[in-house]
């Protein structure tokens, strides 16, 4: 496994498919979590077939990264019938851990695949030390604590639980208006069960008020003609407070986002990897360079907050829209370098004269102006309009394959 400073928490990144998996590994994750097509709380990403899971595990282990498979839905009777076969597949895959939310699944896993660590999902809603202790007695190696806990509550749980029980907490990503992800709103309004990976996210919709005696007349809930997004939670960002989480006893820092892009996974993983580097140098004086904090703003995100870690959020909802702040986008992925030319695979259109930023693993982003451009045949071109087209641009620096070039879409 990848060597990790024992005093530092694990950095755990999401992997919705192979591209996002490689981004997480390349940009510094200690571990990744992913799902197959079954029993997973995220049905939107491509996820992994059984064969792909085995390949993903082999790839991660070759790079010193651990793999945790998700089996964190709340299965109904018909779904529970197939749990045994799925668990045997997990055991054969070589995965390091299994994330579960259902007590029946947990106990079946303990009997059928005792060699695989059991991680108890945030879906279980663990908010006290007694629950954590009992789950540990039943065989849990790790508990993913409820997102509604404060730092002080986490500290108490750490004090009153066995030291060998690991505590995992979310540090970044989307938050849900429900309790620890358990929500019936989507099922009630659309028939899509959020507890089985099919959430339609009605908490992100705009709502208006209708008075029962005046049907068809809709009144804005907020002082705005656009209505109000009354259930729309802000995103979580704890990058400036990792020292406090570590001091509270958190073992693993989890990034949410299996539905997010490979660019998102790369940038956020790289930012938290850099932040952990700062924390490791001097835990008592944790102060981040501004560029690390700014990296969290260079992906699609909602307005940030610190969740419940410092008490009940005073500004936990965002009422103006259900969309994202999205000022930056990935322009290309580096595939090689030769004789002063950087080989690229295009992701979004850019042109000669554009100012780009290059993000390579373990390094601060650097600027690169596009002074010329050649297509895959070596012909001079002024722009690259076709997705995934091969091209090259001049660069005195040989950035490694997998590095990302990005472009600001508007002035920040």
């Amino acid at each position: 496994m990848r060597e990790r400073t024992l005093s530092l928490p694990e950095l755990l990144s999401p992997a919705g498919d192979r591209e996002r998996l490689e981004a997480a590994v390349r940009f510094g994750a200690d571990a990744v979590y992913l799902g197959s097509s079954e029993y997973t709380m995220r049905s939107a990403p491509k996820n992994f077939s059984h064969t792909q899971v085995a390949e993903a595990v082999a790839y991660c282990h070759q790079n010193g990264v651990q793999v945790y498979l998700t089996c964190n839905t709340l299965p109904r009777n018909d779904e529970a019938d197939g749990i045994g076969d799925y668990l045997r597949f997990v055991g054969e895959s070589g995965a390091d851990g299994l994330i579960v939310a259902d007590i029946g699944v947990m106990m079946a896993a303990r009997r059928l695949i005792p060699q695989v660590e059991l991680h108890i999902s945030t879906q279980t809603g663990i908010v006290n030390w007694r629950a954590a202790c009992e789950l540990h007695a039943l065989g849990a190696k790790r508990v993913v604590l409820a997102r509604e806990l404060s730092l002080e509550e986490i500290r108490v749980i750490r004090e009153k639980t066995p030291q060998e029980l690991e505590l995992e907490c979310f540090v970044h990503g989307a938050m849900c208006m429900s309790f620890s992800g358990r929500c019936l709103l989507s099922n009630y309004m659309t028939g899509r069960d959020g507890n089985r990976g099919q959430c339609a996210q009605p908490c992100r919709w705009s709502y208006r008020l209708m008075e029962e005696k005046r049907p068809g007349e809709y009144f804005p809930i907020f002082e705005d003609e656009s209505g109000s997004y009354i259930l729309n939670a802000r995103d979580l960002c704890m990058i400036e407070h990792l020292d406090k989480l570590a001091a509270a006893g958190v073992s693993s820092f989890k990034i949410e986002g299996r539905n997010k892009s490979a660019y998102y996974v790369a940038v956020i993983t790289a930012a938290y990897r850099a932040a952990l580097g700062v924390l490791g140098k001097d835990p008592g004086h944790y102060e981040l360079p501004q560029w690390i904090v700014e990296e969290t703003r260079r992906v699609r995100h909602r307005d940030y907050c610190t969740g419940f870690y410092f008490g009940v959020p005073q500004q936990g909802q965002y009422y103006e829209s259900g969309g994202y702040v999205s000022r930056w986008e990935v322009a290309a992925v580096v595939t090689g370098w030769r004789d002063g030319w950087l080989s690229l695979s295009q992701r979004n259109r850019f042109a000669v004269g554009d100012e780009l930023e290059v993000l390579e693993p373990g390094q601060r982003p650097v600027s690169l102006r596009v002074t010329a451009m050649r297509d895959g045949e070596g012909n001079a071109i002024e722009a690259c309009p076709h997705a995934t087209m091969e091209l090259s641009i001049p660069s005195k620096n040989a950035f490694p394959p997998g590095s990302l070039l990005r472009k600001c879409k508007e002035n920040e």
Side-chain angles (χ1 to χ4, degrees), residues 181-235:
R182 290 201 177 197
C183 183
L184 292 176
L185 193 61
S186 177
N187 205 353
Y188 177 77
M189 298 182 73
T190 71
R192 291 168 54 181
D193 193 343
N195 296 308
R196 299 218 286 285
Q198 300 168 354
C199 185
Q201 296 195 15
C203 56
R204 311 297 182 188
W205 300 350
S206 174
Y207 290 90
R208 290 172 179 257
L209 180 69
M210 186 176 71
E211 201 272 324
E212 65 176 344
K213 295 182 179 179
R214 288 185 281 181
E217 293 187 43
Y218 299 97
F219 303 93
I221 300 173
F222 194 57
E223 299 174 4
D224 189 307
E225 68 277 5
S226 300
S228 179
Y229 295 79
I230 56 175
L231 305 176
N232 184 43
R234 295 173 185 259
D235 281 359

Side-chain angles (χ1 to χ4, degrees), residues 287-305:
E287 185 173 346
L288 292 179
Q290 189 59 31
W291 73 266
I292 296 179
V293 178
E294 286 302 315
E295 282 299 290
T296 63
R297 273 73 176 172
R298 280 165 158 72
V299 296
R300 293 180 76 242
H301 66 282
R302 300 179 184 91
D303 275 9
Y304 286 129
C305 72

Side-chain angles (χ1 to χ4, degrees), residues 7 15 47 73 96 118 122 128-129 153 165 183 197 229 245 257 260 321-322 334 378 395 398:
S7 60
N47 290 313
T73 58
D96 302 285
L118 289 176
T122 189
N128 64 69
W129 61 268
E153 289 173 309
L165 176 66
C183 183
Y229 295 79
L245 284 164
K260 304 291 178 63
S321 78
V334 175
S395 172

Side-chain angles (χ1 to χ4, degrees), residues 172-174 235 259-261 263-264 267-268 295-304 322-329 409:
H172 197 94
D235 281 359
N259 283 351
K260 304 291 178 63
S261 68
Y263 169 69
Y264 178 97
V267 173
I268 297 302
E295 282 299 290
T296 63
R297 273 73 176 172
R298 280 165 158 72
V299 296
R300 293 180 76 242
H301 66 282
R302 300 179 184 91
D303 275 9
Y304 286 129
Y324 290 89
V325 178
S326 179
R327 298 188 178 101
W328 290 77
E329 65 184 6
K409 295 186 292 184

